[in-house]
Amino acid sequence: MSSKTKTLQIFLLYTLLFLIQLNVSSGQTVVKGAYWYWDSGFPASSIDSSLFTHLFCAFANLDPNTYQVTVTSSNSAQFSGFTQTVQQKNPSVKTLLSIGGGGNDTIADTFASMASQPSRRKSFIDSSINLARSYNFHGIDLDWEYPDTTTHMTNFGTLLTEMRAAVANESQTSGNTELLLAAAVFHSADYYTINYPIESISNSLDWINVMAYDFYGSAWNSSRARTGPPAALYNVTASQVNGDAGITSWIEAGLGADKIVLGLPFYGYAWRLLNADEHGLFAPADGPAIGTDGSINYKDIRDFISQNGTQTVYNATVVTNYCYSGTTWIGYDDTESISAKVSYAKQKGLLGYFSWQVSGDDNNWALSQTASTTWG
Ligand SMILES: *[C@@H]1O[C@H](CO)[C@@H](O)[C@H](O)[C@H]1NC(C)=O
Ligand SMILES: *[C@@H]1O[C@H](CO)[C@@H](O)[C@H](O)[C@H]1NC(C)=O
Ligand SMILES: *[C@@H]1O[C@H](CO)[C@@H](O)[C@H](O)[C@H]1NC(C)=O
Ligand SMILES: *[C@@H]1O[C@H](CO)[C@@H](O)[C@H](O)[C@H]1NC(C)=O
Ligand SMILES: *[C@@H]1O[C@H](CO)[C@@H](O)[C@H](O)[C@H]1NC(C)=O
Ligand SMILES: *[C@@H]1O[C@H](CO)[C@@H](O)[C@H](O)[C@H]1NC(C)=O
């Protein structure tokens, strides 16, 4: 073998190693995420994990007496097997154990009382790390909805700082890769004027999941009387709450864009129109047209549209889809809205996007596929 050939071979080997390296590190520079919820009726084994880099297993509970993180016995098999299950279709997908959730105020009260005392925080932190490790998760996601006083926000910051120190210590002691730490937060950097602890968030979390949805809902007193874009990206009047204003507030508060992950709803809200002929945004309405809270999964919206010959509209100015048939009006995100939002996230230099929740997508993974392809 000539020395020239050998040099070429070595060159090719190093090029290959470089490309492998590049591929590994780029796998960690984006979050293409989705939540899976134990009570959705959708088995984790049905998730097409190839469309995601990170999956959140929701939710573990917070014991109001011991402040330890627990999983109910009926959920323990699903939760402990989650990582192995979803890695069958994508061995490199990362999983996070989500703790808390927005379902009820009791959970928020328990979070507040846990975060208020050092011994309670330690109990919470140690048990969450133990549980995450014993179930083979790659990280922990805190879902406190919401810290709503300045004291709660300060305590939340302390909790995050202590939690980062604890996962770093655990990693050094065990020799395992450090657990990822994330948190699901309000769409804005302040919760109705109460500011989030930006410095602790910035120093302690790998990223935040910004819940940029639930701006308008048909069952809420504030918005039941008019249709509305449930998760608009932009506003046309100053009073119109929107995702861009929320993301901008996080960046202006001092958080790096590369720590922000944009939330996408895989559901919408159905209003009952007062007049079938007035069917635009902010048309007169009278509460939910479906169920008690008006919410409806994307996959059920698609069925509603195809079975009822429903009119569909995409409003690119505010970035929302809506559809109407008779006096039923549904605001939601279809592929156009998802694509526009993911382009926005990328263009703003955000870390990625996540959806709530994976079971809402249609049988062809239309929304998850659109999001993944749009990001590239
Ligand atoms: C709220 O959450 C707590 C703690 O997980 C639970 O014990 C309680 O049953 C829940 N209440 C409702 C109304 O769901
Ligand atoms: C660090 O980890 C060790 C071993 O898990 C544990 O005993 C110790 O309490 C931890 N220290 C802190 C400050 O968390
Ligand atoms: C919503 O409005 C009804 C009727 O005015 C009132 O009874 C109820 O307390 C309100 N609910 C909230 C959460 O404000
Ligand atoms: C949209 O809202 C922002 C604040 O969130 C405000 O500064 C801006 O003026 C609003 N745009 C319009 C067209 O009202
Ligand atoms: C079609 O509309 C009717 C009347 O609103 C509703 O009862 C039915 O559930 C809709 N079909 C689907 C598939 O949602
Ligand atoms: C989009 O919605 C806004 C109301 O929020 C309206 O002013 C605008 O005309 C709509 N655009 C289109 C193309 O329908």
Side-chain angles (χ1 to χ4, degrees), residues 2 11 91 185 188 214 226-227 253 292 312:
S2 78
F11 172 76
V185 297
S188 173
D214 289 343
R226 286 194 179 271
T227 65
T292 51
T312 60

Side-chain angles (χ1 to χ4, degrees), residues 27 30-33 49-55 90 92-95:
V30 58
V31 171
K32 297 179 172 185
S49 330
S50 68
L51 297 169
F52 306 101
T53 61
H54 296 79
L55 289 165
N90 177 4
S92 62
V93 73
K94 300 280 188 286
T95 59

Side-chain angles (χ1 to χ4, degrees), residues 28-218:
Q28 292 163 354
T29 57
V30 58
V31 171
K32 297 179 172 185
Y35 280 84
W36 171 82
Y37 181 57
W38 66 271
D39 199 21
S40 62
F42 190 81
S45 57
S46 298
I47 300 173
D48 182 355
S49 330
S50 68
L51 297 169
F52 306 101
T53 61
H54 296 79
L55 289 165
F56 303 88
C57 179
F59 290 106
N61 310 311
L62 198 45
D63 185 300
N65 300 308
T66 64
Y67 300 105
Q68 293 192 337
V69 176
T70 61
V71 168
T72 58
S73 56
S74 54
N75 280 350
S76 68
Q78 298 190 82
F79 279 47
S80 64
F82 184 79
T83 301
Q84 196 187 9
T85 301
V86 299
Q87 283 193 335
Q88 274 165 18
K89 288 176 193 152
N90 177 4
S92 62
V93 73
K94 300 280 188 286
T95 59
L96 290 90
L97 177 64
S98 287
I99 303 167
N104 90 45
D105 290 343
T106 314
I107 306 170
D109 290 345
T110 308
F111 259 112
S113 124
M114 175 273 289
S116 69
Q117 288 186 23
S119 64
R120 296 175 181 178
R121 290 194 298 269
K122 182 164 170 44
S123 173
F124 172 80
I125 291 168
D126 291 350
S127 65
S128 62
I129 294 173
N130 282 338
L131 194 63
R133 281 301 188 206
S134 67
Y135 284 1
N136 295 312
F137 285 100
H138 303 97
I140 295 168
D141 169 52
L142 300 182
D143 203 337
W144 176 357
E145 299 182 25
Y146 293 94
D148 58 359
T149 66
T150 49
T151 305
H152 291 173
M153 285 297 188
T154 305
N155 294 344
F156 182 46
T158 307
L159 174 70
L160 297 180
T161 304
E162 292 175 358
M163 199 143 184
R164 171 56 68 187
V167 298
N169 175 47
E170 187 276 340
S171 165
Q172 276 191 335
T173 317
S174 70
N176 294 324
T177 306
E178 197 163 318
L179 288 165
L180 296 166
L181 286 186
V185 297
F186 196 52
H187 63 83
S188 173
D190 69 282
Y191 185 74
Y192 301 104
T193 74
I194 312 289
N195 293 324
Y196 269 97
I198 296 293
E199 203 170 308
S200 320
I201 287 176
S202 182
N203 293 335
S204 307
L205 293 179
D206 288 287
W207 71 82
I208 54 170
N209 284 342
V210 175
M211 294 185 271
Y213 41 73
D214 289 343
F215 301 149
Y216 297 87
S218 50

